[in-house]
Amino acid sequence: MKIRFYFIIAIILLFESCHDNYHKLSGVTHAPYHITFKSNNPNSVEKLVQNEFRKYYHSLNPFDSLSIISQVNQNKKVEVDSIFIKSFQKAQQISELSDGMFDVTCAPLINLWGFGFSKMDSVTPKTIDSLLTFVGYRKVKLKNNEIIKDDPRILLNFSALGDGCICDLVANLFDKNGIENYLIEIGGEMSMKGVNPKGKPWTVAITKPIDDNIGFQEEIINQTLHITERMGLATSGDYRNYYIKDGKKYAHTINPKTGYPAGQNILSATVLAKECITADGIATAIMSMGTEGFNEFKKKVPDLIYFIIYSDSIGDYNIGYSPKIEKYLSTID
């Protein structure tokens, strides 16, 4: 099946009015969230969901001085909890699979360059070299529920898979409480299971970006993803957020091994996995690889379900996707 120039984005087809015991929760934590679920007792579910949020932020919020990750970053002796352990182990696993192109210790480099490389004029090789001495996933370990650093200046930040982690926490909560039909969307990442209020699979639209002289238009086409099994979906990148060099488009991504912009041609990566934390982390990693590196990565993860958009040698858009994603693709009549 050949599809050209198509791009998956997190458009969730939800319903304004709930019926058949479907309910919605929405709000903003560090990012907007929208949760649709079927339950006879929505008030108790809302309290349970908020409790999962609190547990996540107590563990991994780097902006809370009392959180576990803040204490780790301050080199205080602290025993990490199950959320921290799961996130750390998943991060290390993805780092190994990606040959270090995913790294939760590279926050100092991201801060150095600024959003969209806004500080690039002030970046010097000397500064990068100094930061790289305490950046690297192999320089930090988990032992007896404590984090051991090779260098006390090492800082951890799990934001690259945090939304996926929260999605999984809520999905696990729903599974535990017998909720069989739900869609959880946090910051664009999703966990889903069962059917929507119309009794149909949860639907994620596919759009086609169209270049024009003022930006991009979005055209919804007749292809969608339809999902009923318990799955996590994450998309990393934005086809609007790129820079052009020598006529080619590159995503705003930093190579954690060199400390410099990755300069890779993958502009967006969408990944499906049983756990959203896995999808979230891998989607982020793919953005740093480029198509050549991604081809090698796929060999290590033969069951990977993905859809990527990338820029070719003359700057045009192309797509790549795994055969395993075809079972979820459907055509709108």
Side-chain angles (χ1 to χ4, degrees), residues 45 48-49 52 168-179:
V45 171
L48 292 171
V49 168
E52 292 303 304
D168 285 339
L169 289 174
V170 178
N172 292 339
L173 170 71
F174 285 176
D175 292 343
K176 181 180 178 181
N177 285 274
I179 297 175

Side-chain angles (χ1 to χ4, degrees), residues 58-218:
H58 172 67
S59 180
L60 296 180
N61 181 5
F63 303 107
D64 178 357
S65 62
L66 299 179
S67 70
I68 292 174
I69 192 168
S70 289
Q71 294 181 68
V72 168
N73 286 340
Q74 295 165 23
N75 300 306
K76 295 180 180 179
K77 186 176 179 62
V78 58
E79 184 172 313
V80 299
D81 64 3
S82 59
I83 295 173
F84 193 109
I85 292 171
K86 176 63 180 286
S87 299
F88 182 84
Q89 291 176 337
K90 181 61 64 175
Q92 294 295 85
Q93 178 190 24
I94 296 172
S95 294
E96 285 289 342
L97 287 171
S98 64
D99 190 29
M101 298 307 287
F102 180 88
D103 195 325
V104 295
T105 72
C106 70
L109 294 170
I110 296 172
N111 294 336
L112 174 68
W113 287 96
F115 178 76
F117 301 135
S118 61
K119 301 178 183 178
M120 67 181 346
D121 291 339
S122 63
V123 175
T124 66
K126 182 178 179 180
T127 303
I128 290 177
D129 289 343
S130 67
L131 292 180
L132 285 175
T133 61
F134 55 95
V135 169
Y137 74 96
R138 290 196 175 99
K139 299 175 182 178
V140 61
K141 299 175 180 62
L142 176 65
K143 183 177 181 181
N144 297 327
N145 293 343
E146 290 186 17
I147 294 296
I148 308 300
K149 303 177 183 179
D150 290 355
D151 190 309
R153 295 173 295 174
I154 291 173
L155 300 176
L156 300 181
N157 188 311
F158 293 96
S159 61
L161 42 70
D163 291 340
C165 177
I166 303 177
C167 285
D168 285 339
L169 289 174
V170 178
N172 292 339
L173 170 71
F174 285 176
D175 292 343
K176 181 180 178 181
N177 285 274
I179 297 175
E180 297 292 330
N181 302 288
Y182 57 80
L183 188 147
I184 303 149
E185 183 266 318
I186 301 173
E189 320 305 2
M190 291 175 274
S191 288
M192 64 204 77
K193 182 181 178 182
V195 296
N196 65 27
K198 288 189 174 181
K200 302 294 185 180
W202 297 107
T203 302
V204 181
I206 301 178
T207 70
K208 175 182 178 181
I210 304 172
D211 256 320
D212 62 27
N213 59 1
I214 61 172
F216 280 91
Q217 302 171 357
E218 291 175 3

